[in-house]
Amino acid sequence: MASKVRLYVDHPLGEGQSVPLSREEAHYLFGVMRLPVGAVLSLINSADGEWDAEVVEASKKGGVLVCRAQTRPLQMPPDLWLLFAPIRKERTAFIVEKAVEMGVSRICPVQTDFTQNADRLRPEKLQAHAIEAAEQCGGTFVPKVDQLVKLKPFLANMPDDRQLMFCDEGLVGDAAKLPQIVGPWAILIGPEGGFSEAERAQLHAMQNAHSVSLGPRILRADTAAVAALTVWQQALGDWR
């Protein structure tokens, strides 16, 4: 039977490995979840897969877990980056959570010419959302949430071998057609105000950028992220 509690820890995992707990982790396990000594939970760390661990010490200020057996090997997501312009706080958190659930290797907030919420972005909070999403969805890898960067230099420095799925609201109404190119990819979701003409010119000039429609209706940015990830995963990802 799978463990009811899953916890991400920044610590090596292996048979017999002791894992000390921080005050925050101890509060969650023993104060919120009320796990007693002897209880077994699942641990992940983005490197060593999933492990059953036993509580051997428990207190309000800390505790110790001991790894007993690996239950799943590390399962890496596809080599897929999600680039998106931040929107309102709760909807940006939604994008991060769904990206982790659906399978990405890197989450890259980008500031576009029309981005309106860049000053409100808190990458450390979004990383916490990513960790919670991995804990809840059964993932063994937590993608890194980058610091906010400007879109134009990011695109200029992106490796030539990484294909870019440019979700273009200018193509609304067309079928979603994605070129079948295997390898590293990135998905770009624009801000609520769309892309500027300068950004469009840069994107259309990139040989590895592919303009893709997301269907017959204009989608909100958070909906577009889920739709784009679905299209890519079904065509080229690990859903096939």
Side-chain angles (χ1 to χ4, degrees):
M1 181 180 295
S3 302
K4 292 183 179 180
V5 177
R6 300 182 84 242
L7 181 69
Y8 176 89
V9 293
D10 186 15
H11 196 279
L13 303 176
E15 188 173 357
Q17 175 71 56
S18 295
V19 180
L21 297 173
S22 67
R23 180 188 290 267
E24 293 75 15
E25 292 166 339
H27 172 71
Y28 170 68
L29 293 180
F30 311 135
V32 178
M33 302 307 296
R34 300 191 178 280
L35 296 185
V37 170
V40 175
L41 64 150
S42 294
L43 300 182
I44 57 173
N45 67 353
S46 288
D48 300 313
E50 179 186 79
W51 284 78
D52 271 353
E54 181 183 354
V55 178
V56 296
E57 296 181 22
S59 73
K60 293 181 180 179
K61 297 182 179 180
V64 177
L65 312 176
V66 174
C67 296
R68 297 306 187 196
Q70 187 183 55
T71 51
R72 292 172 57 197
L74 177 66
Q75 182 181 19
M76 291 295 295
D79 188 358
L80 175 65
W81 300 351
L82 177 64
L83 285 58
F84 72 97
I87 48 178
R88 291 194 301 276
K89 181 173 68 173
E90 67 279 5
R91 298 201 174 279
T92 295
F94 174 89
I95 290 174
V96 169
E97 292 167 358
K98 299 312 166 189
V100 174
E101 292 176 21
M102 300 182 77
V104 301
S105 60
R106 182 180 176 188
I107 299 172
C108 313
V110 293
Q111 183 174 355
T112 69
D113 290 342
F114 297 153
T115 300
Q116 297 180 354
N117 296 277
D119 59 338
R120 301 178 185 177
L121 190 74
R122 299 292 182 267
E124 67 281 359
K125 294 287 188 181
L126 295 180
Q127 190 67 64
H129 283 296
I131 289 172
E132 290 174 4
E135 290 172 343
Q136 293 174 9
C137 76
T140 57
F141 176 83
V142 180
K144 182 179 183 296
V145 180
D146 290 351
Q147 297 288 327
L148 181 74
V149 295
K150 293 186 176 181
L151 176 63
K152 293 175 184 176
F154 187 96
L155 294 178
N157 293 312
M158 198 170 71
D160 292 337
D161 65 343
R162 184 171 293 275
Q163 305 301 312
L164 178 66
M165 178 180 171
F166 163 37
C167 299
D168 188 355
E169 71 273 15
L171 297 179
V172 63
D174 293 347
K177 296 180 180 179
L178 190 65
Q180 300 297 296
I181 302 175
V182 177
W185 274 82
I187 293 173
L188 173 61
I189 304 296
E192 293 176 326
F195 293 101
S196 69
E197 290 304 315
E199 290 166 343
R200 286 182 173 280
Q202 182 182 14
L203 286 160
H204 288 308
M206 296 174 60
Q207 292 186 347
N208 57 336
H210 310 278
S211 298
V212 175
S213 168
L214 293 179
R217 289 165 290 277
I218 296 176
L219 305 179
R220 289 184 356 175
D222 47 343
T223 308
V226 175
L229 286 165
T230 302
V231 169
W232 190 91
Q233 282 282 25
Q234 289 184 330
L236 295 166
D238 56 10
W239 292 13
R240 295 176 296 166

